[in-house]
Amino acid sequence: MNISKCLTIDLESRELVDHKMALRHSLTLAELEVLKCLVNHIGEVVSKEALNEAGWPNRVVAPSSLTQCMSCLRRKLGAHDDIELKNIPRYGYSLCVTETYESIKSMQEPLSDDSNDSAVDNHFSRYWRWLGVVLFVVLLAGLHFSGKLKQTVNYLALFAKPGVVSILDAETELGGQKVQLSQLRLEDQPEIQRSAAHYIGNWSNTDKIFGNEVLKRIFANDNNRYESVALCNQYEGECKDTQPLNLVRERNTYSPLDLQWLSDTKLRMEQVTYNKILLDKFDNPPQGLVEDIYRADVYYYGASKNVVRADVRLSLVYQSPARGTLVMAACITDDLLRHVSMRYQFSGEFKMQKKTVDGQLVKSFLLDTGNVSFTSPDEISEESATIYRELRKSVLSNETQILRQVYQDANSGVWMLPLWGDTMVWAHRVEVTL
């Protein structure tokens, strides 16, 4: 089996034959089958699932098995600069050979003695290469002058960002009541399953807040810096809780949390709503479009008796099933200063992608942020400084954002929003026809 003019696969001896270096590299059975699959689809992207099935048919193996196989193949292909085994983030791999199609075809067909035909072939080969270069330059120029080049580059950058790879469900108890815990993990997070006690073991007075016997459901995430929990107190196939509880704390900080005290503090802080998204932000969208509006309060807590509140609004207008316009705004207050210390807002056009992870539909909204505003605080507490640093970093460095929705019903949705890193937020949902 031919890979290039200087590299072939000897199927009988199960070896990779390097004619340029006069070397032969033995292949394991998995390496042979994976490489054959890639060679049969040169220049195409082959999914991880297809490669796993080729290398380990009818077997369940760890994700690291394919990663290790690719690492070994790269070492054996390393002497050939014209061959590259590319990793396509979140999807699979592609074997790219920079030789022309004609040079590969010449290895598979009898050689012709007609040198004139060879000269003609070379001429046309050069012609098509130059034509491809010209068309590529014209395409870039068109994107640049239309203002779409930057947007296209931003979207490509977003595709490389880590996605949700697992949503692990477990059952536990909270205040003597049943709880369904769904723990999310992204590609760049360690493969460690936390226990339910890791997230809620430091809570006290839970029976006073969660007194009903209805199932509670929790979505949780550890993003390597902060741990966040989004909890619906009444879950019956959908969230019946009008005010789900969203909590954030710094990783490895296990200070006790009195939920009765937090409930009283929330009640006092939420008497004032600072946040509002105006519909005219969307520049008079055409009649008949649907707007999804999400509202939530997210609380950061630490060792002190001062909590930070993020009053969050999220608004989406779909212009097609997978595209539209999005605005997110967050007003930040804390119980110590008791006034708006920060306001963060961004908006832009999104492209939505769907993926099923462990039976749960995940929607990723890839956003090219056209407008960003951030109001710095006049005064700041030690606790609110944590989110100030996160938002400031996001404002300075990100021309793009990715927002993920991991659950939705008629009246609510669970999101990963860019607040304290990727923060789990269970938000109340309203649908408006414009």
Side-chain angles (χ1 to χ4, degrees):
M1 177 178 281
N2 300 315
I3 301 178
S4 69
K5 289 189 297 184
C6 300
L7 198 62
T8 59
I9 303 174
D10 189 331
L11 299 177
E12 293 186 1
S13 63
R14 209 166 69 193
E15 291 179 318
L16 184 64
V17 183
D18 187 337
H19 300 285
K20 182 174 70 172
M21 305 297 292
L23 295 174
R24 300 176 75 93
H25 302 282
S26 61
L27 299 170
T28 66
L29 183 58
E31 290 171 357
L32 174 65
E33 295 302 325
V34 167
L35 185 56
K36 282 168 56 180
C37 184
L38 290 166
V39 172
N40 287 330
H41 299 85
I42 283 182
E44 302 175 15
V45 180
V46 184
S47 69
K48 294 179 181 178
E49 292 79 7
L51 293 172
N52 278 325
E53 180 60 27
W56 301 269
N58 302 318
R59 291 174 56 193
V60 178
V61 295
S64 58
S65 298
L66 181 59
T67 304
Q68 180 66 28
C69 177
M70 290 301 173
S71 178
C72 293
L73 288 176
R74 283 196 179 98
R75 286 199 299 268
K76 295 170 183 178
L77 296 169
H80 296 264
D81 296 333
D82 57 340
I83 298 175
E84 183 178 3
L85 185 51
K86 293 183 178 179
N87 177 23
I88 311 302
R90 298 165 52 189
Y91 189 77
Y93 294 85
S94 177
L95 183 66
C96 299
V97 180
T98 57
E99 291 179 319
T100 63
Y101 170 77
E102 287 77 8
S103 64
I104 296 175
K105 185 177 179 183
S106 67
M107 298 180 61
Q108 301 169 338
E109 297 179 351
L111 295 176
S112 171
D113 294 330
D114 193 341
S115 59
N116 290 331
D117 289 345
S118 177
V120 171
D121 289 342
N122 289 334
H123 171 76
F124 278 104
S125 175
R126 288 194 299 271
Y127 168 79
W128 286 113
R129 284 201 300 270
W130 277 109
L131 181 60
V133 171
V134 171
L135 290 176
F136 180 70
V137 171
V138 170
L139 176 62
L140 286 180
L143 288 172
H144 173 73
F145 289 112
S146 66
K148 296 293 185 179
L149 179 59
K150 182 178 179 181
Q151 184 180 29
T152 301
V153 172
N154 287 342
Y155 276 141
L156 291 175
L158 282 168
F159 286 125
K161 290 194 174 182
V164 179
V165 293
S166 66
I167 303 177
L168 303 177
D169 290 336
E171 289 189 359
T172 184
E173 287 190 355
L174 182 61
Q177 308 297 326
K178 290 183 179 180
V179 175
Q180 179 182 342
L181 173 66
S182 298
Q183 181 181 335
L184 281 82
R185 185 175 71 86
L186 301 182
E187 287 174 329
D188 63 344
Q189 294 173 356
E191 194 170 352
I192 301 174
Q193 183 175 3
R194 302 290 191 187
S195 66
H198 178 84
Y199 292 102
I200 62 179
N202 65 321
W203 298 359
S204 62
N205 284 329
T206 55
D207 54 331
K208 296 180 181 179
I209 306 302
F210 306 120
N212 61 73
E213 296 183 358
V214 181
L215 176 70
K216 292 99 175 67
R217 186 167 185 188
I218 292 177
F219 284 87
N221 176 250
D222 176 354
N223 65 22
N224 300 325
R225 296 192 62 193
Y226 301 95
E227 296 170 353
S228 57
V229 170
L231 183 150
C232 173
N233 187 21
Q234 304 176 54
Y235 186 80
E236 299 175 313
E238 61 179 12
C239 185
K240 303 292 187 179
D241 191 349
T242 57
Q243 288 187 315
L245 180 63
N246 301 297
L247 296 175
V248 184
R249 68 180 177 190
E250 284 194 67
R251 193 169 187 255
N252 300 324
T253 298
Y254 303 104
S255 55
L257 177 64
D258 185 334
L259 284 191
Q260 181 62 60
W261 166 81
L262 178 64
S263 178
D264 296 338
T265 304
K266 273 170 50 60
L267 183 63
R268 180 176 64 252
M269 295 183 72
E270 291 172 12
Q271 289 177 349
V272 180
T273 298
Y274 298 98
N275 201 350
K276 185 178 180 182
I277 295 178
L278 301 177
L279 295 180
D280 59 9
K281 182 71 180 178
F282 294 113
D283 298 326
N284 299 319
Q287 186 176 4
L289 294 182
V290 175
E291 179 186 26
D292 272 352
I293 302 173
Y294 295 87
R295 181 202 174 277
D297 290 293
V298 187
Y299 288 88
Y300 168 85
Y301 70 97
S304 71
K305 287 293 183 179
N306 182 35
V307 295
V308 179
R309 173 197 179 196
D311 180 2
V312 180
R313 294 290 191 281
L314 183 64
S315 185
L316 300 94
V317 172
Y318 287 88
Q319 297 164 345
S320 73
R323 293 180 181 272
T325 309
L326 181 150
V327 178
M328 177 183 149
C331 288
I332 315 300
T333 57
D334 64 50
D335 194 39
L336 180 64
L337 299 177
R338 300 193 182 186
H339 66 271
V340 177
S341 60
M342 284 168 276
R343 179 178 171 84
Y344 177 44
Q345 179 168 317
F346 59 82
S347 62
E349 296 182 357
F350 70 78
K351 180 178 180 182
M352 188 263 288
Q353 294 180 323
K354 295 181 180 180
K355 178 183 179 183
T356 300
V357 180
D358 292 334
Q360 186 74 50
L361 179 63
V362 177
K363 297 179 181 178
S364 297
F365 293 81
L366 313 176
L367 184 71
D368 187 14
T369 50
N371 297 284
V372 179
S373 63
F374 177 62
T375 303
S376 297
D378 296 327
E379 189 177 1
I380 194 168
S381 65
E382 180 180 350
E383 292 78 13
S384 59
T386 61
I387 192 170
Y388 172 77
R389 289 190 293 268
E390 291 294 327
L391 296 184
R392 185 66 177 165
K393 179 175 64 177
S394 181
V395 170
L396 292 176
S397 61
N398 287 342
E399 294 181 346
T400 59
Q401 292 281 4
I402 181 166
L403 292 79
R404 301 178 183 88
Q405 186 187 64
V406 299
Y407 170 85
Q408 179 179 306
D409 57 40
N411 300 308
S412 72
V414 180
W415 291 81
M416 299 185 79
L417 297 180
L419 294 167
W420 288 267
D422 288 311
T423 299
M424 302 304 307
V425 177
W426 204 317
H428 182 66
R429 175 177 180 258
V430 176
E431 185 178 288
V432 178
T433 301
L434 301 176

